[in-house]
Amino acid sequence: MIRILLVALFVVLFLVCSIPLLIAEWIIGKYNMDLKSRSSLAIVKWAFRMVLFLSGTTVTVRGEENVPKDTPVLYIGNHRSYFDILITYIRVPRPTGYIAKREMLKWPLLVSWMKNLHCLFLDREDVKQGLKIILTAIEKVQSGISICIFPEGTRNRVNHTFMDFHEGSFKIASKTGCPIIPMTLYNSADIFEDHLPRIKRTHVILEYGKPIYVKNLPRQDQKKPGAYTKNIIMDTYAKIKEEAGT
């Protein structure tokens, strides 16, 4: 239980002590939004690294050369743990907004940092609002901000399985022409979700796939890029699972 106590204490202290930083970031944003985005990115990446360190999580990253550094992308990953966000966010090379559930708006201070990082908040019960979020995400990509989505729509609670990838989120790539970067996460639920409320020392594998451009896919796959991307992530996951012997 010591790890969960350390993580909880650090998160609370960070959020409280970061109030002056949030004020400074607000002032910076009045004059230079790009500087605000980059400085907020650096601060939150440091905090996430600390949480992973305190939780005893080590990560092996593969295929990072597949992530373009000079253009915004649409990250797509499988999702089994809250730690998926931390694991993937510390690797992004440029400001990146995650699409989160609307319930996150209830968390003070945390939501302020999320907004600084261009996160968008989705109401999964409101189709019209969902469409607006996709349109906003398209605008973000066009302005140079990457977007990350876990298109299963929620955390998958069953080991070694995948839920359907919602196709609507892939319009961000098809409308902007940005590359889709598949992210395969293996063993992340073993950090916390598989044995609540204990945090366990865990080794996670994160593998990035080659960029996918919707316009270059066969015609039938252009209609369902979500299914195409899901198959790539599933194949990569199966390969990692076989290597791990589990």
Side-chain angles (χ1 to χ4, degrees):
M1 293 295 291
I2 186 66
R3 289 193 182 94
I4 193 169
L5 293 175
L6 288 172
V7 167
L9 179 61
F10 173 80
V11 170
V12 171
L13 287 175
F14 169 77
L15 290 176
V16 173
C17 295
S18 70
I19 293 174
L21 290 175
L22 284 170
I23 296 171
E25 292 292 88
W26 178 79
I27 295 171
I28 291 170
K30 291 292 184 180
Y31 301 96
N32 191 326
M33 282 301 297
D34 180 61
L35 178 58
K36 176 184 177 181
S37 294
R38 289 187 285 109
S39 57
S40 291
L41 175 66
I43 292 166
V44 172
K45 285 172 77 169
W46 172 82
F48 282 180
R49 287 191 184 98
M50 285 299 299
V51 171
L52 291 173
F53 172 76
L54 293 171
S55 67
T57 301
T58 58
V59 183
T60 295
V61 182
R62 303 175 178 176
E64 202 161 17
E65 69 278 4
N66 292 320
V67 181
K69 306 296 189 295
D70 58 349
T71 187
V73 306
L74 174 64
Y75 295 101
I76 295 291
N78 58 306
H79 191 28
R80 286 219 58 232
S81 173
Y82 289 118
F83 279 83
D84 294 338
I85 298 160
L86 283 69
I87 291 165
T88 55
Y89 203 84
I90 63 171
R91 312 303 307 186
V92 298
R94 60 190 300 121
T96 301
Y98 278 51
I99 294 186
K101 58 185 180 181
R102 192 171 181 82
E103 289 79 359
M104 297 300 297
L105 289 169
K106 300 176 182 178
W107 293 89
L109 300 180
L110 175 60
V111 73
S112 298
W113 281 111
M114 293 178 73
K115 288 179 178 179
N116 281 0
L117 298 171
H118 303 279
C119 291
L120 303 173
F121 302 90
L122 176 66
D123 184 347
R124 289 173 289 191
E125 305 300 323
D126 188 336
V127 176
K128 288 185 179 180
Q129 192 265 355
L131 178 58
K132 289 180 180 178
I133 290 296
I134 296 301
L135 294 175
T136 303
I138 289 171
E139 293 174 358
K140 292 282 188 184
V141 171
Q142 290 172 336
S143 69
I145 306 297
S146 293
I147 294 292
C148 180
I149 299 179
F150 299 106
E152 290 169 290
T154 188
R155 286 179 297 113
N156 185 354
R157 290 170 171 78
V158 183
N159 269 325
H160 310 310
T161 64
F162 294 79
M163 296 185 290
D164 288 339
F165 282 18
H166 296 289
E167 293 288 345
S169 55
F170 289 83
K171 292 184 183 297
I172 299 168
S174 60
K175 295 296 185 181
T176 64
C178 77
I180 298 168
I181 303 297
M183 302 186 302
T184 304
L185 287 145
Y186 184 83
N187 204 39
S188 60
D190 193 46
I191 302 170
F192 182 54
E193 282 78 5
D194 284 350
H195 37 72
L196 296 170
R198 186 167 60 94
I199 289 179
K200 174 185 171 185
R201 183 183 296 275
T202 303
H203 177 238
V204 176
I205 295 175
L206 167 63
E207 182 163 338
Y208 295 97
K210 294 181 179 179
I212 301 167
Y213 293 88
V214 175
K215 66 180 181 180
N216 294 340
L217 295 177
R219 186 175 297 273
Q220 64 272 20
D221 292 322
Q222 289 184 25
K223 297 177 181 178
K224 291 190 174 182
Y228 182 88
T229 306
K230 176 186 174 183
N231 286 335
I232 290 175
I233 292 175
M234 287 177 61
D235 289 345
T236 305
Y237 188 97
K239 178 197 69 175
I240 297 171
K241 184 173 182 291
E242 183 178 1
E243 292 171 355
T246 57

